[in-house]
Amino acid sequence: HYVHETINNSIWQDVCQDMLGDANPELHLEQAKVVLSFGADFLGTWGSPVHFAKEYAKFRNSPRGTLIQVEPKMTLTGANADHWVPIRPGTEGAFALRIANLLVNKHHRDVSALPADLVKQINKYDLEKVKTVTGATGEQLIRIAQLLNGRSPSLVIAGASAEGHEHGYENVAAAMLLNLIRGNVGKTIKPSGQLPFPQMA
């Protein structure tokens, strides 16, 4: 018996398992001040839209959270975003790594816990290179890094447009890296916990 889901988030789950040790962590939009989404249409098709719609309503209450949607084509979530940033398909990882570069080198975020090779990779993503690859403007990249740096906690997620490429895993992992740099784990990303009877899952 095989189960096929046309719309699924298996790559997101793999990244969460590998980087957080939990394939399905709880995402708390309502506790974030900024949500940066790489094509995760959480108001339309991603995850549980009914659940996320309730959390989104709380996210929008005072103080009003800021939603940034980065994706190749506009989704329902993108239509509701404060900042909608169109980029070339499959370049979400480069975009995320440029944001990481700005957080590390301009905003001096502590990355001493990250492997040295990873920090070296982050440093390779200079502005002109990422502008050329993604089609985004320098002003957009700088503004998003400022928002993530200045408003805490935040939440960074990645959906179908980031996952649906040969290097989809790397795209999603780059997005998750921003959560680690900003210290979101334990605040807006929390362990899902264990079912008392896992055989019933």
Side-chain angles (χ1 to χ4, degrees):
H1 176 70
Y2 295 93
V3 176
H4 173 73
E5 292 181 84
T6 302
I7 300 174
N8 66 73
N9 61 350
S10 60
I11 293 177
W12 168 263
Q13 292 175 342
D14 288 346
V15 170
C16 288
Q17 181 62 51
D18 292 345
M19 295 181 72
L20 306 177
D22 187 340
N24 291 291
E26 294 180 359
L27 305 176
H28 292 272
L29 271 73
E30 84 285 1
Q31 295 180 16
K33 294 182 180 177
V34 177
V35 171
L36 171 57
S37 167
F38 289 94
D41 187 18
F42 60 84
L43 295 178
T45 59
W46 190 76
S48 176
V50 173
H51 168 74
F52 285 131
K54 291 179 181 178
E55 292 214 337
Y56 180 73
K58 297 174 185 175
F59 168 75
R60 287 303 206 184
N61 284 334
S62 182
R64 189 177 190 274
T66 300
L67 171 61
I68 306 159
Q69 187 79 354
V70 179
E71 57 192 1
K73 64 177 183 178
M74 187 173 285
T75 59
L76 179 60
T77 304
N80 284 275
D82 297 287
H83 304 283
W84 182 72
V85 182
I87 62 169
R88 294 189 179 96
T91 64
E92 293 85 352
F95 192 104
L97 288 170
R98 177 57 194 168
I99 299 297
N101 182 301
L102 287 165
L103 290 173
V104 172
N105 295 305
K106 183 176 181 180
H107 299 290
H108 309 293
R109 287 288 161 184
D110 181 16
V111 288
S112 59
L114 297 179
D117 287 348
L118 180 54
V119 176
K120 187 181 292 186
Q121 281 297 114
I122 290 171
N123 287 330
K124 291 181 180 178
Y125 284 80
D126 64 80
L127 183 60
E128 292 305 316
K129 174 182 178 179
V130 173
K131 281 169 56 179
T132 301
V133 169
T134 66
T137 68
E139 290 78 8
Q140 289 169 325
L141 290 156
I142 291 167
R143 177 62 176 152
I144 291 170
Q146 286 174 336
L147 286 168
L148 278 180
N149 182 66
R151 304 188 69 189
S152 183
S154 56
L155 175 64
V156 183
I157 54 179
S161 70
E163 293 175 305
H165 298 273
E166 182 180 355
H167 50 278
Y169 182 96
E170 289 77 10
N171 285 339
V172 178
M176 183 59 72
L177 176 63
L178 294 176
N179 284 311
L180 299 178
I181 292 173
R182 288 300 293 115
N184 296 331
V185 179
K187 297 176 183 175
T188 56
I189 304 178
K190 298 181 181 179
S192 59
Q194 303 250 339
L195 288 174
F197 302 101
Q199 66 271 23
M200 296 178 67

